[in-house]
Amino acid sequence: MPSLRAQIFRVAANGPDDISGVEALFASGLSPKDVVAVLGKTEGNGCVNDFSRGYATRSFETLFQKYGVEGVSLVMSGGTEGALSPHWTVFARAVVQAPTERALAIGVARTPSLPAEHLGRREQVLLVAEGVREAMRDAGIDDPGDVHFVQIKCPLLTLNRIAGLEAEGKILATRDTLRSMGLSRGASALGAAVALGEISAETINDTDICSRYELFSRCASTSAGVELTDHEIIVLGMSDKWSGPLAIDHAVMRDAIDTTAIREARGRLPANGHLAAVLAKAEPDPSGKVRGKRHTMLDDSDISGTRHARAFVGGVLAGIFGVTDLFVSGGAEHQGPPGGGPVAIIVEKEH
Amino acid sequence: MPSLRAQIFRVAANGPDDISGVEALFASGLSPKDVVAVLGKTEGNGCVNDFSRGYATRSFETLFQKYGVEGVSLVMSGGTEGALSPHWTVFARAVVQAPTERALAIGVARTPSLPAEHLGRREQVLLVAEGVREAMRDAGIDDPGDVHFVQIKCPLLTLNRIAGLEAEGKILATRDTLRSMGLSRGASALGAAVALGEISAETINDTDICSRYELFSRCASTSAGVELTDHEIIVLGMSDKWSGPLAIDHAVMRDAIDTTAIREARGRLPANGHLAAVLAKAEPDPSGKVRGKRHTMLDDSDISGTRHARAFVGGVLAGIFGVTDLFVSGGAEHQGPPGGGPVAIIVEKEH
Amino acid sequence: MPSLRAQIFRVAANGPDDISGVEALFASGLSPKDVVAVLGKTEGNGCVNDFSRGYATRSFETLFQKYGVEGVSLVMSGGTEGALSPHWTVFARAVVQAPTERALAIGVARTPSLPAEHLGRREQVLLVAEGVREAMRDAGIDDPGDVHFVQIKCPLLTLNRIAGLEAEGKILATRDTLRSMGLSRGASALGAAVALGEISAETINDTDICSRYELFSRCASTSAGVELTDHEIIVLGMSDKWSGPLAIDHAVMRDAIDTTAIREARGRLPANGHLAAVLAKAEPDPSGKVRGKRHTMLDDSDISGTRHARAFVGGVLAGIFGVTDLFVSGGAEHQGPPGGGPVAIIVEKEH
Amino acid sequence: MPSLRAQIFRVAANGPDDISGVEALFASGLSPKDVVAVLGKTEGNGCVNDFSRGYATRSFETLFQKYGVEGVSLVMSGGTEGALSPHWTVFARAVVQAPTERALAIGVARTPSLPAEHLGRREQVLLVAEGVREAMRDAGIDDPGDVHFVQIKCPLLTLNRIAGLEAEGKILATRDTLRSMGLSRGASALGAAVALGEISAETINDTDICSRYELFSRCASTSAGVELTDHEIIVLGMSDKWSGPLAIDHAVMRDAIDTTAIREARGRLPANGHLAAVLAKAEPDPSGKVRGKRHTMLDDSDISGTRHARAFVGGVLAGIFGVTDLFVSGGAEHQGPPGGGPVAIIVEKEH
């Protein structure tokens, strides 16, 4: 009796172009065409001029081209501050001859192309919500409560796109390219929240996006990329239609040191499992304080606040899990509560 | 029946010159002349051009002058990376009418002035060792096993001092001022190790200093300052001759994520106590790896490795203790094992 | 026959607290009470968390207190990027027994306290314009064309002030403290422009401030400080009622490499004079280009664009003038054209 | 009558992977196989973790592979601080039917592979000297006085190479990979100096390399790369055997603001020529001063001194030449005097 089975590999990277570990996986049997996504932590600054992401993306594009494989979602997140370790997390899925059981399910979807004048607006929220639902169907997940992580790659506005659209008389949500990244991430996160029933679509207006941060998804992780005009969506959750030893759950950290939430989520997973992956979001608390004590992340003109946050939350998580190759990414508009963020934990049960 | 009693106050700082919280302590009854030391975490970069330290020192000098108090040890450590919170830790001691019991003891000492040609050499190790023994006597601690933290402020070489001494024909351990800071910190830490019986004085040669890092103290925390030519030494430990609710123990982290050592040390302290202070050292693992996984702290030309390390280890500790006003300082020559470091924990028993 | 005479001293600083060079001036005859202003280039990052400015200000306050002198304008500009050299420029004036002649004139004024709800609005523009006119009268300058540099220190909004005012029902121009600094600098520069007849007061609306950058003063240099609620204004220009060897003129750089404008301004000053001071403003060209070629100052998440701009324009100016102790400051809202800025040149005629 | 003719193109780069401008050159007639070298200024930090260089190199390798062209020297220098503009300088040469005349000549050579135990030692100096002589012959330059710029790409030691060699019992000049880069650059620069008769080979000992900085070449610009074990050498100079409108000369800046040297060099070139390229080296003055005034480049723990130096010297040069797409690179061991550096100027005579 066939079932779908997910596989996850954490592979060390010796630099943004070091794909040798993934090539070794292929050499030892993993089929490149089974790969659904690669989430990379690369060692740039994670901000505007982080070329480690593009360099890594280029390296993987070349690799998959070599195998004639298309459509793998490449999500590169810059920033391995503190002792965080550069690495690739490879997600694969394949049909196996095994009975179905409750296990990690991976679903993917791409939305139609987003008209640029919809970026950062209610229309983007709705488009993404539909895409997340489609990815859930692809994953065989019916209950939104079984979804634990939604990774979304979303478009942004470039100066060229803006100029072209304004020439056509279009009114855009912003003319600022950096701002367009935030708006697109925020709208995408709210789209996930709508699909998962965390927020009602009716209640969201254009002006809420990147403004009413009390609205958020507990599972969304979004990043904006210049190379697409649609959305690449990956849903991770539990489904009875899959098989295999992997299981996922998630926590929502209320602040940067909310270890209780993480321990509780870990406690809901098999105790004897070993860690397959941790996927987390971190940001400087916009209040300027953590549990009443001032932090200086937002006042530091030498180091971006996102770098501070990744280093620190990376330490919090590494202290709990005992490993440093964790996927901690920054920028968390509507992705968990302000100053906190979602943390997905995947474990592999021992046999 | 009189006994000595220690007091510890963690006071928020709104900037390097914000001493208002300490003034408030004085207003509410703490006698300025009982203050033994102020350990400050200031919000500079903790490296060469960190003026937040000097600015804070100047502010406290002016404050204590106002009260006619001299000789308070002012130890300013720059760097509140991640969510670490700028604050002052005020150590005070006074005679109270209470029976002696086993409690936190604070002892201080100053060594004679160090001839500059002895800096970074065996002579400095021996001089500091004698000073630490004196501070132990001042604290009423007989057993080196009762010492849990030794904070030492040590001298450095300036261009002027070097020129003067070379004119006299003196041969110095280094002509590089930055290097002189490391050598002085390293020799001072080894001095503590000798005093505490961790290392035999006979085995230490000039060439071991800042070279044989397998030699280290489990309790030392040292910093170099331009304003002194001797050493200011503060010893924290347990003594039967004091009284009060404070107790101290310490851990030695073997690497940046060694939470086991910290939990064990915390476990040796009263379970119902609340946290009074955490004093820790952090540094990037010089091997370039943490538990076999590469880190990028030492390859980052944009952010000093010490800043990465403080942010990350700050996260590890904040995750354990649930607070962010922790004294985490960088630069750890011979202070704990390479890539790890000492962590002192002080708790106040509930009544 | 008495006349007023200006004196200017460029004094090297070995650190933010190194006032020894100014003390040496006092020892050699300069009267502390003749000092009108100290403009400092300190070695911080010139951005939010630059404590070198406050530390320097504190050091000079203590110095002048010692001499019982009050009211000296202390303008500290952080950032000595590239080979720019930390230094103080001391401006003094005194009555001398000499016939009047056309020479450098220094005038000062303080405005009334600015109601915070006027900050960043037309009312601030008008208040500053009146203050600049008063400083011109103090300098004995009638013709606005004789003014070559207007340094203005202006207030900003703090979180406390904002909370207090909003509790009173006041509507502020911004609730963002950083934004309030820009608005205050911009409105102050426009105030100078109005006083100098560069712009008509009637044409300026609230919405122009920090928005219509084609409106600017060719002479203004403004900085916001937390320590005042009014404005400290220093006017430098030429007047027939003074005496002495100093003369001033100014250029307006149209872009970061506009050396022609500077050479022309220098050409209008006595050829045989030696340089007394250069006071300049620099900013990254907001177009992202200089003469059609892309720059990366605004895309660099590791180094603030203002630091890039000071380093680069510092190089341009040092190449022309052959010295590195130049007062180049950043942040140039309405102070010269976008991407360019005013440059005042003061020379001392030889005898 | 055939002659060789050099061509130089300065091409704007919109990012490390933006080779569209060079593709446009090919589309408009430049033959890819005529390209000798591409010198790139990429927008990374120019230090250890600058991935913009590798990313650019990869992009050009892919481009030239597409055209079946091998052996193009790709020299990527990171760091476009200040208003310096990211760009590629393409050097090409081809036979044309025109009489020979005195004109810019380009010669290239590769040395044999350098045994790693010779790196940073006298043997490397001699190997490079022979390579430079070969490149001079390739350029048709007999008189060392006609050489104005020598660009050398040299090898470095990696941890793997070091381990392998030490296992064979080899004694290396250093075990520190970063240090090996400096030694290799320094030895290569001294090799150029020997070939050009600036220094006698007999006088150079192993211990002089990266130590006796009073020994230097007035024309050398060297960079270390992980991708080669030999040396790629490009010599630019004047030769009577070429033709065309290009001419080159060079200056040696004695310090960071030595504009006199540059103006003199420019004066030796045709007055009516327009600028084709400027190739310069910059470094923070190791004395800590420029013309007696302190700089802070070497004390800044937030920004690498090389970044400060490029920004500042970039400003000096841009002020003189009126353009910002200048090749200013850092790290200048034995390449010009300490704190100064060589500047090559290439102009194209008008017809």
Side-chain angles (χ1 to χ4, degrees), chain B residues 283-325:
Chain B
E283 67 169 4
D285 200 303
S287 74
K289 295 191 174 182
V290 173
R291 300 199 184 169
K293 301 288 180 186
R294 185 169 71 101
H295 68 75
T296 60
M297 295 190 260
L298 296 171
D299 293 327
D300 190 339
S301 305
D302 299 311
I303 301 179
S304 159
T306 54
R307 304 201 74 180
H308 277 291
R310 275 190 300 265
F312 187 83
V313 175
V316 172
L317 296 171
I320 292 174
F321 293 108
V323 297
T324 58
D325 47 348

Side-chain angles (χ1 to χ4, degrees), chain B residues 103-176:
Chain B
L104 174 69
I106 304 175
V108 293
R110 291 192 79 136
T111 68
S113 189
L114 179 77
E117 65 270 27
H118 290 176
L119 186 144
R121 290 182 169 147
R122 184 175 154 78
E123 288 91 339
Q124 187 179 14
V125 175
L126 301 181
L127 186 74
V128 169
E130 185 46 43
V132 172
R133 284 185 207 104
E134 187 189 328
M136 285 173 62
R137 285 189 293 270
D138 184 58
I141 301 177
D142 303 320
D143 181 355
D146 282 337
V147 173
H148 294 289
F149 197 70
V150 180
Q151 177 69 41
I152 301 170
K153 200 163 161 189
C154 54
L156 53 86
L157 297 178
T158 61
L159 290 177
N160 279 345
R161 282 187 203 167
I162 292 168
L165 287 155
E166 295 197 329
E168 297 174 28
K170 299 278 168 54
I171 312 264
L172 304 174
T174 182
R175 305 179 60 184
D176 176 334

